[in-house]
């Protein structure tokens, strides 16, 4: 039994806990000062080994909004690259911090940090998952669909990457029918698909993987995509782009989806690659609302991990 709560992948929260975090996020989206002093006296580390706009800024503001102190840490300012063991670093950091969010090159580093169980570890994006993004996505869907997520069809089109994996697990937990439309060889990890299918079988959702984006888009309530080339994959970028040709959210896909289809993208976006300018800047797109929701979703996640009783209380009403 761990002493601290961690969030490395979406199913580190139970279905019930995920529901509390989303509800609390909805409340924070209406009032960011709802828990102004809830984390007073806490310090939260925000480690970035990779670039970030949304995660970096929303996490720092989230911490400040709850009265805690944020400490921004750049990967190249620490000693991991020079061989400092994660177990030493985390033992030291636990003397200063109550929670460490890390955007890391390798998910294994987060697992090592968690292993010590000396402070809460949160994944701010790894090569395998992006759970804070998926919480903001569920929050956005809750706003768009008046919290009726069960039975909706969500199709992710493109590279079966970290964002796809988290969206798949998070959707499975909420009873969503999730389709991943990915080229052969770029599907989400089969073990994760099996994990998601198991979660979906209890929640009433479903998970499928198809290699035809037109088939995936058909009658979908929501189309979602992410960049074709993720951070850290730049060396194989051209090959990746070639394999993803045709996996673009554009007006053809919109015409196959349900009439009121919503379009999400975690951003940053590359117009003309994974999504057409016409769609991302058009009436079906909610990407800015989605990006703004990173703030209340992160506030909710941090508060739940550090003070679950306060979070549960504030999620009501
Ligand atoms: N969506 C997302 O995580 O954006 P950043 O890379 O800008 O943090
Ligand atoms: N899949 C992308 C997400 C960026 C927010 C990446 O890992 O670079």
């Amino acid at each position: 039994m761990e002493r601290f709560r961690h969030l490395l992948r979406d199913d580190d929260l139970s279905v019930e806990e995920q529901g509390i975090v989303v509800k609390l996020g909805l409340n924070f989206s209406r009032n960011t000062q709802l828990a102004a002093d809830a984390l007073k006296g806490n310090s939260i580390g925000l480690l970035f080994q990779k670039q970030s706009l949304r995660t970096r800024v929303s996490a720092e503001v989230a911490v400040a909004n709850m009265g805690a102190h944020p400490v921004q840490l750049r990967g190249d300012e620490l000693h991991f690259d020079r061989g400092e063991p994660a177990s030493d670093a985390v033992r030291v950091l636990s003397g200063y911090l109550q929670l460490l969010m890390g955007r890391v090159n390798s998910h294994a580093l987060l697992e090592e940090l968690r292993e010590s169980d000396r402070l809460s570890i949160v994944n701010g994006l790894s090569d395998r998952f992006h759970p804070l993004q998926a919480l903001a996505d569920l929050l956005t869907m809750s706003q768009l669909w008046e919290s009726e997520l069960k039975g909706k069809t969500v199709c992710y089109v493109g590279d079966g990457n970290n964002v796809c994996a988290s969206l798949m697990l998070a959707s499975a937990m909420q009873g969503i029918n999730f389709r991943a439309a990915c080229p052969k060889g770029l599907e989400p990890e089969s073990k994760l698909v099996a994990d998601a299918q198991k979660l979906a079988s209890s929640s009433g959702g479903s998970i499928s993987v198809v290699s035809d984006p037109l088939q995936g888009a058909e009658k979908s309530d929501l189309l979602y995509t992410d960049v074709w080339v993720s951070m850290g994959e730049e060396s194989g970028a051209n090959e990746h782009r070639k394999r993803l040709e045709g996996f673009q959210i554009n007006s053809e896909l919109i015409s196959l989806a349900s009439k009121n289809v919503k379009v999400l993208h975690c951003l940053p976006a590359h117009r003309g690659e994974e999504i057409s300018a016409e769609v991302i800047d058009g009436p079906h797109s909610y990407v800015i609302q989605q990006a703004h929701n990173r703030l209340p979703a992160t506030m909710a996640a941090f508060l739940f991990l550090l003070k679950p009783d306060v979070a549960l209380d504030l999620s009501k009403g």
Side-chain angles (χ1 to χ4, degrees):
M1 176 81 176
E2 288 172 321
R3 283 177 56 214
F4 292 88
R5 291 303 305 263
H6 310 283
L7 178 58
L8 269 54
R9 47 184 277 175
D10 310 79
D11 50 0
D12 283 337
L13 296 177
S14 68
V15 171
E16 192 193 345
E17 289 170 345
Q18 187 189 63
I20 292 168
V21 172
V22 173
K23 269 201 201 128
L24 178 58
L26 279 169
N27 290 345
F28 279 138
S29 72
R30 295 183 203 107
N31 177 8
T32 55
Q33 298 310 306
L34 189 63
D37 288 325
L39 293 183
K40 199 161 174 231
N42 287 257
S43 294
I44 293 184
L46 306 169
L47 164 65
F48 289 88
Q49 292 185 324
K50 296 178 177 181
Q51 294 95 325
S52 171
L53 184 155
R54 283 142 286 266
T55 308
R56 183 192 299 275
V57 180
S58 62
E60 179 162 338
V61 176
V63 171
N65 278 347
M66 295 187 288
H69 178 72
V71 184
Q72 291 278 355
L73 300 162
R74 277 172 45 149
D76 62 1
E77 292 169 342
L78 307 182
H79 296 282
F80 291 128
D81 296 346
R82 299 178 58 245
E84 177 159 30
S87 55
D88 283 354
V90 80
R91 277 159 67 196
V92 172
L93 287 172
S94 68
Y96 316 141
L97 305 172
Q98 283 67 49
L99 182 150
L100 175 67
M101 185 199 79
R103 168 163 290 198
V104 296
N105 294 321
S106 166
H107 192 75
L109 174 59
L110 291 175
E111 284 172 344
E112 283 176 58
L113 293 169
R114 175 193 186 135
E115 183 78 27
S116 299
D117 195 27
R118 287 176 180 261
L119 75 165
S120 281
I121 303 296
V122 177
N123 182 353
L125 180 146
S126 69
D127 50 333
R128 296 187 61 209
F129 303 100
H130 197 0
L132 290 177
Q133 178 66 55
L135 287 171
D137 300 340
L138 292 181
L139 171 46
T140 309
M141 292 181 215
S142 300
Q143 290 168 336
L144 295 175
W145 294 327
E146 289 164 8
S147 298
E148 294 295 326
L149 274 55
K150 248 185 213 316
K152 291 283 193 300
T153 299
V154 169
C155 176
Y156 175 96
V157 179
D159 183 19
N161 59 17
N162 44 8
V163 169
C164 175
S166 276
L167 186 68
M168 177 172 70
L169 290 174
S171 299
M173 292 165 74
Q174 289 292 327
I176 287 171
N177 299 312
F178 178 87
R179 298 175 187 157
C182 308
K184 289 224 181 311
L186 295 181
E187 302 97 340
E189 292 169 40
S190 51
K191 166 78 175 77
L192 290 183
V193 175
D195 291 348
Q197 277 165 341
K198 208 165 158 201
L199 288 164
S201 68
S202 333
S203 70
S206 65
I207 303 293
S208 60
V209 181
V210 299
S211 55
D212 177 0
L214 305 182
Q215 185 192 344
E218 211 179 336
K219 297 198 168 61
S220 286
D221 298 300
L222 190 145
L223 296 175
Y224 193 119
T225 191
D226 180 22
V227 292
W228 281 353
V229 181
S230 284
M231 293 179 277
E233 291 180 341
E234 290 80 6
S235 62
N238 286 342
E239 167 63 19
H240 232 231
R241 283 198 182 90
K242 231 181 258 154
R243 294 168 80 178
L244 281 153
E245 262 170 36
F247 287 79
Q248 182 189 73
I249 299 188
N250 53 27
S251 47
E252 186 187 7
L253 259 58
I254 296 287
S255 72
L256 294 169
S258 86
K259 193 164 147 272
N260 284 323
V261 65
K262 318 289 184 203
V263 172
L264 297 184
H265 187 313
C266 59
L267 304 180
H270 295 79
R271 288 166 175 76
E273 287 196 9
E274 74 276 3
I275 192 160
S276 67
E278 186 185 20
V279 169
I280 195 168
D281 300 318
H284 295 281
S285 171
Y286 291 85
V287 300
I288 302 301
Q289 179 177 334
Q290 177 189 12
H292 287 169
N293 281 335
R294 294 296 307 278
L295 174 62
T298 299
M299 290 176 69
F302 286 0
L303 188 59
F304 181 81
L305 295 170
L306 290 174
K307 300 212 166 166
D309 295 344
V310 178
L312 177 61
D313 220 37
L314 291 176
S315 72
K316 294 174 182 156

